[in-house]
Amino acid sequence: MINRLLAYLVKHIDRYLMGLVAALLVMGLITLFSASGESFERVTGQIINICAALTIMWIAANVPLHYLSRIALPLYVVGLVLLVGVAVAGEVVNGARRWLNLGFTRIQPSELMKIAVPLLLAWYFDRYEAILKTRNFVLGAVLVIVPVLLIARQPDLGTALLVTAAGFYVLFLAGLSWKILVGLGLVGGASLPFLWSMLHDYQRQRVLTLLDPSQDPLGAGYHTIQSTIALGSGGFFGKGWLNGTQAHLDFLPERTTDFIFAVYAEEFGMVGNLVLMVLFLLVIGRGLVIAANAPTLFTRLLAGAITLTFFTYAFVNMGMVSGILPVVGVPLPLISYGGTSLVTILFGIGLLMSIHTHRRLVQT
């Protein structure tokens, strides 16, 4: 009886992917314990987040593929309506209007769009697979730009960047011409002065700080300077678990969330960084294998977009902690403290598992 129950529970779980995810989650908890000043309460909170996110992942892994295509349009529309609701009546927290109070709970609709946008675009391009033309890509770009503008207006530059990346990956994998990409690059370059004028003062300061963090060492450049000190002081083997001075002497801000990679790098050094990056690369590699073996255009595009967005999460976080990218508030996937991003990432992992384990049931 117990064996049959266990077999049912893991029927649609990809063991290889699950093993990599579990290893990263454990590494995240170990780092969080040190980064939080050995706080069992903080670690317990993250374990509760992990349990909730794993439940969402299991549900997503068990959803048949044809249901995924059916919910694509409704999910996108609901997400868009909620984003408009945030713009009209959202709660302002720390100067940003990102949350919508439903009475019994608060939600952040922009997180929903990280999945809804690639899901809708994959469904859309699958419908027009045989007759794809330039106008299909133009409409696809509009479907990305509308929610991105609403998210950027909140302002939430990190989430806007991730939603843009997720949408772009679907457009690219669907066959977007290199000529159009070059044209968009030229248009983007020409519009930089206009985009610069639309940024908030603190966002401009972040970009300027990237070029020279020392111009404001106690203000906008503080995060970057302290995180790079932590990375460099870790050396080859690191200072050892619970022995990171930057974190334990309170020099490092947001060390349990966006800058947890600096804590990890200081305590586990370059060797630990290589282990972490290998695990991330294995997750990305497994995702690309699932995308390559997916049975339909819809599932190939969705799996590819989810995998490459996961790569974007890790690359942008490590880049901003290392000082090579502006600080845009992107957590390190499966490592940083926080429930919202964890649920979104593991929901995506669950979709990958569903695409892999249901592939033989789809008629091609």
Side-chain angles (χ1 to χ4, degrees):
M1 180 66 182
I2 294 177
N3 289 337
R4 293 177 62 183
L5 177 62
L6 288 175
Y8 171 76
L9 289 175
V10 301
K11 182 178 179 181
H12 294 293
I13 299 297
D14 184 272
R15 296 177 184 176
Y16 184 77
L17 200 51
M18 188 68 242
L20 295 170
V21 167
L24 286 167
L25 289 173
V26 171
M27 291 172 70
L29 288 175
I30 291 172
T31 309
L32 177 63
F33 183 68
S34 176
S36 63
E38 303 177 30
S39 169
F40 285 101
E41 183 180 356
R42 194 76 162 171
V43 173
T44 303
Q46 182 68 348
I47 291 174
I48 293 172
N49 291 334
I50 289 174
C51 291
L54 287 176
T55 303
I56 298 294
M57 184 198 76
W58 183 85
I59 293 171
N62 282 273
V63 174
L65 296 179
H66 60 278
Y67 283 129
L68 292 179
S69 59
R70 287 181 186 175
I71 66 172
L73 184 58
L75 193 66
Y76 179 86
V77 172
V78 168
L80 212 55
V81 170
L82 291 176
L83 283 179
V84 173
V86 170
V88 174
E91 285 190 351
V92 178
V93 180
N94 297 326
R97 191 186 295 274
R98 301 175 183 173
W99 298 87
L100 197 61
N101 194 334
L102 299 180
F104 59 94
T105 187
R106 289 193 316 167
I107 62 171
Q108 191 173 355
S110 56
E111 289 292 327
L112 179 66
M113 300 311 284
K114 291 178 183 174
I115 294 295
V117 167
L119 196 62
L120 176 76
L121 291 179
W123 168 79
Y124 173 72
F125 285 112
D126 184 63
R127 282 172 59 90
Y128 295 95
E129 179 181 5
I131 53 172
L132 275 178
K133 296 181 179 178
T134 301
R135 64 172 179 268
N136 297 111
F137 290 96
V138 172
L139 180 56
V142 171
L143 293 173
V144 178
I145 291 171
V146 171
V148 165
L149 289 178
L150 288 170
I151 295 169
R153 185 179 178 276
Q154 294 178 354
D156 187 350
L157 200 57
T159 304
L161 172 67
L162 291 172
V163 173
T164 302
F168 170 77
Y169 291 139
V170 177
L171 293 171
F172 177 70
L173 295 173
L176 185 62
S177 167
W178 281 103
K179 295 178 181 177
I180 295 177
L181 282 176
V182 172
L184 289 175
L186 293 175
V187 171
S191 61
L192 281 179
F194 173 70
L195 295 175
W196 180 260
S197 67
M198 291 182 64
L199 293 177
H200 291 258
D201 289 340
Y202 79 94
Q203 291 170 333
R204 291 192 199 120
Q205 190 61 45
R206 285 180 177 178
V207 177
L208 294 174
T209 302
L210 174 68
L211 302 175
D212 183 14
S214 62
Q215 64 174 291
D216 189 10
L218 298 179
Y222 185 77
H223 287 64
T224 302
I225 291 174
Q226 296 303 323
S227 63
T228 52
I229 289 174
L231 262 66
S233 63
F236 197 75
F237 293 106
K239 295 177 179 176
W241 187 45
L242 304 178
N243 293 322
T245 52
Q246 287 298 106
H248 289 274
L249 296 178
D250 287 337
F251 285 110
L252 198 60
E254 300 179 36
R255 54 186 175 273
T256 63
T257 52
D258 294 349
F259 283 80
I260 196 169
F261 176 58
V263 179
Y264 175 86
E266 184 182 23
E267 298 190 351
F268 297 99
M270 184 183 295
V271 174
N273 291 344
L274 290 175
V275 172
L276 184 65
M277 282 189 273
V278 167
L279 288 173
F280 279 137
L281 289 175
L282 289 174
V283 172
I284 293 164
R286 182 60 174 172
L288 292 177
V289 169
I290 290 174
N293 294 322
T296 65
L297 179 63
F298 169 73
T299 51
R300 282 196 295 276
L301 294 178
L302 182 59
I306 290 172
T307 303
L308 293 176
T309 304
F310 183 87
F311 159 77
T312 305
Y313 260 103
F315 176 76
V316 171
N317 179 274
M318 290 182 174
M320 73 180 196
V321 173
S322 305
I324 61 173
L325 292 176
V327 178
V328 291
V330 174
L332 188 61
L334 306 175
I335 303 292
S336 292
Y337 177 85
T340 305
S341 64
L342 192 61
V343 167
T344 304
I345 291 168
L346 285 183
F347 181 62
I349 296 288
L351 293 180
L352 283 178
M353 292 179 178
S354 173
I355 291 169
H356 179 62
T357 58
H358 288 94
R359 67 189 186 284
R360 294 188 181 87
L361 302 177
V362 177
Q363 293 180 351
T364 59

